[in-house]
Amino acid sequence: MFTLQQIHDAHAKVKSGADFPRYMQDIAALGVTSFETFVIDNHTIYYGPSNFSLISEGFKKTLILANHCDAAQFKADLKSHQQGNTDYLTFLRDCAKSGIEKWVVLMDKMTCTYYDAFGTTVLVESIPLPS
């Protein structure tokens, strides 16, 4: 099974949202089948085969989520991040300001689904294969 150190090593290669597809490929190769990341403190639950899971430690300082979801602003911020214009911490802050609670990645479907604090799906996007 995979370890948090292996995931951390793969994540250390990510400089912006433009690197996300390669990161997905790297952690899938480790055996990660899905994961969910929580914006408030960045803790992530990684899932693998046979009910295997690991939880990464979150930040000590937490972010405050907006009371309502601003889907249009979130999509604009996500696009900017995916183009490499923001770093990961900025993206997390932007998610919090837009009311995004978490995202869930399913490796078998290569999708990333973003949810607000009420569990409403804000966006489902396909993860492109790295070029």
Side-chain angles (χ1 to χ4, degrees):
M1 291 296 145
F2 53 87
T3 66
L4 288 176
Q5 185 60 51
Q6 289 172 308
I7 292 169
H8 176 74
D9 292 346
H11 195 265
K13 300 175 192 174
V14 176
K15 303 302 178 209
S16 73
D19 300 323
F20 191 67
R22 173 78 53 209
Y23 172 63
M24 293 297 92
Q25 188 177 47
D26 289 350
I27 66 170
L30 295 174
V32 175
T33 57
S34 65
F35 65 90
E36 57 186 324
T37 299
F38 295 84
V39 170
I40 191 168
D41 68 354
N42 192 49
H43 83 275
T44 301
I45 306 170
Y46 298 93
Y47 300 95
S50 304
N51 295 320
F52 180 78
S53 66
L54 292 174
I55 302 174
S56 70
E57 215 174 291
F59 300 142
K60 292 188 186 336
K61 185 175 179 183
T62 59
L63 300 173
I64 298 171
L65 295 182
N67 292 329
H68 70 285
C69 181
D70 185 343
Q73 183 62 55
F74 165 69
K75 290 173 186 176
D77 291 337
L78 175 63
K79 183 176 182 179
S80 178
H81 183 63
Q82 290 172 334
Q83 292 172 343
N85 297 323
T86 60
D87 64 15
Y88 184 69
L89 188 53
T90 300
F91 177 64
L92 282 177
R93 289 181 183 135
D94 289 343
C95 286
K97 289 177 190 174
S98 295
I100 300 299
E101 179 186 41
K102 68 177 181 177
W103 59 85
V104 176
V105 171
L106 302 176
M107 305 306 277
D108 61 340
K109 296 182 181 185
M110 286 301 281
T111 59
C112 183
T113 305
Y114 298 88
Y115 297 92
D116 68 13
F118 299 102
T120 303
T121 299
V122 176
L123 176 67
V124 179
E125 63 177 357
S126 294
I127 300 168
L129 295 175
S131 43

